[in-house]
Amino acid sequence: MRAFSYERARTPQDASIAVARTPEAKFIAGGTNLLDLMKLEIERPRHLIDVNGLGFDKIETTQDGGLRIGALVRNTDLAAHERVRRDYGVLSRALVSGASGQLRNKATTAGNLLQRTRCPYFYDPAQPCNKREPGSGCGALQGINRQHAVIGASQACIATHPSDMAVAMRVLDATVETLAPDGKTRSIPIADFHRLPGDTPHLETNLAHGELITAVTLPRPIGGAQIYRKVRDRASYAFALVSVAAIVQPDGSGRVAFGGVAHKPWRVEAAEPAMSRGAKAVSERAFTGAKATEQNAFKLPLAERTLAAVLAEARA
């Protein structure tokens, strides 16, 4: 690990300004992903700004009946919250399927959204990776890519986003609230928060440097059967090969987002009117233009079958 300096932020704007004035500075809260990457010298921040004391650790009801989740709410606390369990069950289920109990006790809402890919080529400095070193190439394209993206990828990167929570946030139409160094705030729809790789896979979100996540807001609950199903190589502490977050209404209509298949949580709203006709109809629309490799082509039928199992569970 390389040497770095450290400070504790006193106010949200102080934290934002401190990162903005130092090109190689990073926010740190739980540190469950950042510290691992620093030990491997994949992340090399020269300065860390600790945001744990900023008070963003509350879950509050919004005026329209939704929920405002502070950026520092731990994953364990969010999954166990009474209203989340009752009104946003897909989120609670997604959270408890991720990582381990110890990590969920430390990991934060904002950090979960910002976690970086687990692509082995990204984690190995001896391998080419455009996400780690722009312009170096993508080792996964012709390498071992069983876990990688089948849609939304590019010739620069075929990595997947690892978050379970983000897939549930996507199906719930969450909004990410932020604070900029100049004091301006903005609300970013979760659909626009993460980026597809294109030619710049090292740019993973639409946050500006120094822009601080303060909260995530969920709209008022819409009811329905809320299910999160994760298919992985082993029963725990593994990232999704395919995951499905779905909200299914009694008439068969609903919403669905997929994880493990793209560089960001994958939801195609135009496919959702087909939910009442079954998983095949939805998958054909949701994965139009998919480009799988020989090793990960199984993900496309797996996504369809996983959705079919989710729809069957919802009907039951």
Side-chain angles (χ1 to χ4, degrees), residues 238-259:
F239 296 96
L241 292 170
V242 165
S243 65
V244 171
I247 301 175
V248 186
Q249 301 297 343
D251 63 0
S253 64
R255 305 175 180 179
V256 62
F258 297 89

Side-chain angles (χ1 to χ4, degrees), residues 75-81 84-85 89-101 104 112 164-165 168 228 230 232 235-238:
N75 287 178
T76 295
D77 295 332
L78 182 57
H81 191 271
V84 175
R85 288 166 59 90
V90 66
L91 176 57
S92 183
R93 292 178 174 89
L95 284 162
V96 298
S97 75
S100 66
R104 292 194 295 270
N112 195 307
D164 294 292
M165 185 194 79
Y228 186 78
K230 180 178 182 177
R232 45 190 163 175
S236 67
Y237 205 67

Side-chain angles (χ1 to χ4, degrees), residues 111-141:
N112 195 307
L113 291 175
L114 294 172
Q115 64 180 302
R116 307 198 71 186
T117 184
R118 266 49 177 198
C119 171
Y121 295 92
F122 172 71
Y123 268 76
D124 184 354
Q127 299 293 330
C129 174
N130 289 316
K131 187 179 287 293
R132 189 184 65 248
E133 297 289 344
S136 64
C138 175
L141 281 172

